């Protein structure tokens, strides 16, 4: 990722940083009197590239596996255990029934990862889950983490019934709650009563250590936790965990900008920023706008959804987005803003533009996250404002066919996650997995942006494909720029941190279609080797 030296055979490391790059003699000039460089050939059979940077993921990717998986796609947990996907509703119910029989009587049953957009014959509802739990509360979180379905007992505990008039509490033709709950305002009362703390799972020591393992297996040396509810005590714990030399990644949490006034959120973020360390970088904030496209809760412009579904839900109302953007800009806090639908991205860009007009801040480098339906006109506005975008290219493979057929239609699906349009408009881009929504794996994410292949094998939006070099930039230096860390990471250059991904194959030398199949053998963080498995091979 250094145009001045695109390839090299050796890298010299001192004090955890890159001392020199070049051939076998690159470090010779740096020896002190009587000191010769130590040559380490243990990685000579492999390929080093800059440590991969996951600019949008959640530390819950480690702890979520405490709950049973109920998703459609095959997955592998952080311990390497495979979980087969559930291809029909009967399999989901049967597997949860088997788990329910093993639980203590006083524990709720909570599953995660369910994907109703793939199971179209019948919508999961409370009556299905009543067959599992009876008097036990049961909740199943959808794969997008914007919706969930619960049984009658859980509805009762939250006080949801036919008299409930609350956005996101879905009802049937008779006015009875179906059990489906959409977005946080509707889900939180159930989650609180059932003791479901998905966000808190990212803040325990076991979950964070597991998250480090997830990163290492994916070749990631810097990863975000892009909606953190961190307290001062949590910060103490994470500082201790990340300071341990056994912990293999740098973590960049963003404080969730919900549940308090803009002024209070800004004050908390500034206080946390002062506690940043080498491996824990604090101070950014995360704003939520809309929901999920495949859950029909994203806010999309006319003509909205092809099936005629209502046009989404605002997790944060537009006026509040403007208020938050203004206060964060005034306070010098970088914003990461969730925008899935193009109506949501329009509001976010308007809010950033208004904030910049009132409080100019060169190189604020705010980031729109997901940006799945952004059009060329919006990318042009982002370029003018210096706003970066982090595209959810994994959606092209995981949900591309469904988006074309069921959510936004063929023509708009072809320009989803429009990396080519963004780059052509002069916008800095990153690419992400949103783990655990989809598995962390930047090389797979890059493959999605390069090939734009769906699960059915079709190419969705050929004109929006980018080159392998552009995709590799987006998962290294591009992602580092979105985190304001490009002076430290993202390329193998003298003075930067000695963070590398260890690969079995050169991604620039293989066919573009094989990018996702390159084996990650481990990472190097600050010059220390962390094998994905022992021995390194």
């Amino acid at each position: 990722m250094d145009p001045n030296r695109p390839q090299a055979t050796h890298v010299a490391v001192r004090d955890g940083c890159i001392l020199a790059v070049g051939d076998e003699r690159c470090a010779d000039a740096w020896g002190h009197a009587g000191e010769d460089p130590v040559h380490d050939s243990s990685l000579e059979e492999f390929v080093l590239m800059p440590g991969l940077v996951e600019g949008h993921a959640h530390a819950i990717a480690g702890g979520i596996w405490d709950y049973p998986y109920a998703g459609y796609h095959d997955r592998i947990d952080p311990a390497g255990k495979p979980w087969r996907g559930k291809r029909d509703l009967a399999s989901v119910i049967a597997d949860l029934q088997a788990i329910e029989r093993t639980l203590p009587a006083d524990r709720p049953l909570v599953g995660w990862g369910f994907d109703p957009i793939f199971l179209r014959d019948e919508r999961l509802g409370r009556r299905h889950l009543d067959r599992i739990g009876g008097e036990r509360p049961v909740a199943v979180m959808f794969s997008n983490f914007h919706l969930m379905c619960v049984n009658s007992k859980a509805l009762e505990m939250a006080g949801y019934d036919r008299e409930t008039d609350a956005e996101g509490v879905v009802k049937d033709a008779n006015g009875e709650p179906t059990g489906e709950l959409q977005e946080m305002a509707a889900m939180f009362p159930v989650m609180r009563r059932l003791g479901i703390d998905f966000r808190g799972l990212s803040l325990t020591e076991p979950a964070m250590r597991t998250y480090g393992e997830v990163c290492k297996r994916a070749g990631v040396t810097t990863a975000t936790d892009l909606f953190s509810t961190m307290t001062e005590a949590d910060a103490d714990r994470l500082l201790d965990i990340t300071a341990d030399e056994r912990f293999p990644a740098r973590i960049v949490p963003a404080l969730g900008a919900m549940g308090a006034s803009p002024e209070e959120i800004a004050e908390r973020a500034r206080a946390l920023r002062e506690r940043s360390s080498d491996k824990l970088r604090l101070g950014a904030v995360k704003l939520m706008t809309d929901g999920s496209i495949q859950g029909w809760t994203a806010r999309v412009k006319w003509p909205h959804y092809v099936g005629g579904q209502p046009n989404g839900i605002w997790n944060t109302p537009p006026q509040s987005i403007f208020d938050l953007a203004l206060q964060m800009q005034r306070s010098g806090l970088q914003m990461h803003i969730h925008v899935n639908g193009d109506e949501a991205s329009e509001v976010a860009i308007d809010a950033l533009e208004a904030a910049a007009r009132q409080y100019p801040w060169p190189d604020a480098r705010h980031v729109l996250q997901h940006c799945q339906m952004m059009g060329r006109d919006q990318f042009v506005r982002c370029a003018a404002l210096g706003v970066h975008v982090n595209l959810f290219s994994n959606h092209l493979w995981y949900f591309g066919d469904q988006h074309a057929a069921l959510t936004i239609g063929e023509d708009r699906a072809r320009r989803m996650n429009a990396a080519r349009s963004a780059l052509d408009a002069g916008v800095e881009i990153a690419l992400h997995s949103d783990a655990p929504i989809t598995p962390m794996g930047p090389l797979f994410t890059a493959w999605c942006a390069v090939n734009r292949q769906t699960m059915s094998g079709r190419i969705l939006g050929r004109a929006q494909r980018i080159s392998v070099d552009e995709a590799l930039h987006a998962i290294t230096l591009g992602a580092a720029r979105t985190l304001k860390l490009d002076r430290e990471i993202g390329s193998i250059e003298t003075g930067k941190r000695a963070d590398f991904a260890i690969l079995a194959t050169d991604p620039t030398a293989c066919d573009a279609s094989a990018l996702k199949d390159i084996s990650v053998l481990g990472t190097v963080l600050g010059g220390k080797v962390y094998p994905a498995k022992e021995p390194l091979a």
Side-chain angles (χ1 to χ4, degrees):
M1 295 304 143
D2 177 9
N4 300 301
R5 190 183 289 277
Q7 292 185 330
T9 59
H10 290 68
V11 57
V13 175
R14 175 186 283 169
D15 300 329
C17 294
I18 297 169
L19 181 67
V21 186
D23 60 17
E24 68 276 7
R25 303 198 61 181
C26 67
D28 289 358
W30 293 97
H32 299 300
E35 179 189 8
D36 293 323
V38 175
H39 287 261
D40 181 350
S41 61
S42 61
L43 302 179
E44 66 180 351
E45 298 299 321
F46 311 125
V47 174
L48 292 187
M49 66 176 292
L52 306 182
V53 180
E54 176 53 89
H56 189 139
H58 303 275
I60 192 177
I64 192 63
W65 292 94
D66 290 350
Y67 297 111
Y69 176 64
Y72 179 84
H73 298 94
D74 295 343
R75 296 284 291 263
I76 299 176
D77 70 19
K81 175 185 175 182
W83 290 75
R84 289 191 62 82
K86 283 71 172 171
R87 301 297 195 264
D88 53 59
L89 195 54
S91 298
V92 175
I93 302 302
D95 285 1
L96 291 176
Q97 284 175 328
I99 293 168
E100 190 275 338
R101 290 192 287 268
T102 70
L103 295 179
D106 60 347
R107 184 181 301 175
L109 172 61
V110 180
W112 73 281
F114 182 66
D115 260 325
I117 202 167
F118 294 105
L119 310 177
R120 302 291 299 166
D121 291 343
E122 189 176 5
R123 189 78 172 179
L124 180 69
R126 63 184 173 91
R127 290 180 177 82
H128 297 104
L129 301 184
D130 286 347
R131 287 160 36 198
I132 299 173
E135 288 302 304
R136 184 194 303 275
V138 178
V140 178
M141 180 65 76
F142 290 10
S143 69
N144 52 48
F145 282 77
H146 286 268
L147 297 90
M148 70 190 312
C149 190
V150 301
N151 69 347
S152 296
K153 182 63 177 179
L155 289 171
E156 176 188 327
M157 292 173 68
Y160 289 154
D161 57 27
R162 65 180 300 112
E163 304 302 322
T164 300
D165 182 18
E167 186 177 36
V169 178
V170 179
K171 296 183 179 180
D172 61 22
N174 298 317
E176 295 289 344
T178 66
E180 183 171 320
L181 306 174
Q182 300 179 344
E183 300 301 335
M184 281 306 301
M187 294 191 296
F188 182 72
V190 168
M191 295 171 67
R192 182 163 61 85
R193 287 165 176 81
L194 270 61
I196 303 170
D197 184 12
F198 286 119
R199 303 297 183 191
L201 277 178
S202 65
L203 299 169
T204 66
E205 180 168 354
M208 183 55 68
R209 291 197 178 277
T210 303
Y211 190 48
E213 292 300 306
V214 171
C215 293
K216 181 179 70 176
R217 287 171 179 263
V220 170
T221 53
T222 298
T224 50
D225 180 18
L226 215 63
F227 192 99
S228 178
T229 56
M230 186 179 298
T231 64
E232 289 295 321
D234 295 325
D236 290 339
R237 186 183 315 110
L238 296 189
L239 284 165
D240 287 342
I241 294 168
T242 54
D244 186 342
E245 70 168 14
R246 294 170 298 174
F247 190 78
R250 307 185 196 279
I251 304 298
V252 186
L255 181 67
M258 298 181 79
S261 70
E263 293 77 15
E264 290 169 328
I265 293 166
E267 182 179 356
R268 285 184 59 202
R270 287 196 301 266
L272 286 169
R273 182 170 60 189
E274 297 305 311
R275 307 196 62 192
S276 293
S277 70
D278 175 27
K279 291 166 65 178
L280 184 68
R281 298 303 177 90
L282 305 168
V285 297
K286 168 74 175 294
L287 279 63
M288 293 292 296
T289 60
D290 62 344
S292 158
I293 301 173
Q294 72 268 31
W296 292 280
T297 58
R299 295 290 303 199
V300 300
K301 290 183 177 181
W302 185 91
H304 310 309
Y305 291 108
V306 297
Q309 292 87 352
N311 185 25
I313 293 175
W314 291 106
N315 278 297
T316 306
Q319 184 55 56
S320 297
I321 295 167
F322 274 76
D323 295 342
L324 283 163
L326 190 66
Q327 182 60 48
M328 301 309 131
Q329 178 89 1
R330 180 183 183 184
S331 302
L333 295 168
Q334 187 194 27
M335 288 175 270
H336 296 267
I337 308 180
H338 165 111
V339 290
N340 263 319
D342 47 3
E343 182 183 355
S345 52
E346 190 84 3
V347 168
I349 295 168
D350 287 347
L352 291 175
E353 187 175 58
R357 189 178 297 115
Q358 189 160 344
Y359 298 105
W361 177 12
D363 199 31
R365 223 183 295 182
H366 303 305
V367 187
L368 299 186
Q369 296 284 345
H370 302 325
C371 317
Q372 296 209 67
M373 294 183 65
M374 282 180 62
R376 186 180 309 154
D377 60 313
Q378 294 181 332
F379 290 125
V380 169
R381 292 185 66 195
C382 285
L385 289 167
V387 171
H388 293 1
V389 301
N390 193 349
L391 300 167
F392 198 174
S393 60
N394 280 18
H395 250 255
L396 298 166
W397 190 84
Y398 278 96
F399 301 105
D401 293 320
Q402 284 66 39
H403 287 315
L406 301 171
T407 65
I408 58 174
E410 178 71 27
D411 53 339
R412 287 183 293 173
R414 290 189 180 199
R415 65 169 173 83
M416 289 190 78
N417 299 291
R420 179 79 274 144
S421 289
L423 289 173
D424 289 350
V427 179
E428 184 79 62
I429 73 167
L431 306 169
H432 68 270
S433 68
D434 200 12
I437 310 303
T438 66
M440 185 185 294
L443 291 173
F444 176 85
T445 300
W447 173 87
C448 290
V450 168
N451 295 278
R452 295 185 66 92
Q453 182 176 316
T454 71
M455 285 177 59
S456 68
R458 65 175 293 200
I459 305 302
L460 186 63
R462 189 175 301 272
Q464 290 299 335
R465 294 186 300 182
I466 60 176
S467 71
V468 170
D469 285 347
E470 288 168 330
L472 294 178
H473 184 279
I475 61 173
T476 53
L477 198 53
R481 281 192 56 77
T482 69
L483 302 179
K484 291 194 167 186
L485 291 175
D486 51 304
R487 285 178 289 184
E488 299 180 48
I489 61 173
S491 59
I492 302 178
E493 297 183 65
T494 297
K496 290 193 172 185
R497 299 188 182 277
D499 295 356
F500 317 121
I502 308 170
L503 308 180
T505 306
D506 180 355
T508 67
C510 68
D511 189 271
S513 64
L515 198 57
K516 63 180 176 59
D517 301 316
I518 294 174
S519 295
V520 174
L521 304 177
T523 58
V524 179
L525 188 79
K528 177 178 172 57
V529 177
Y530 294 86
K533 60 181 180 180
E534 299 283 359
L536 187 65

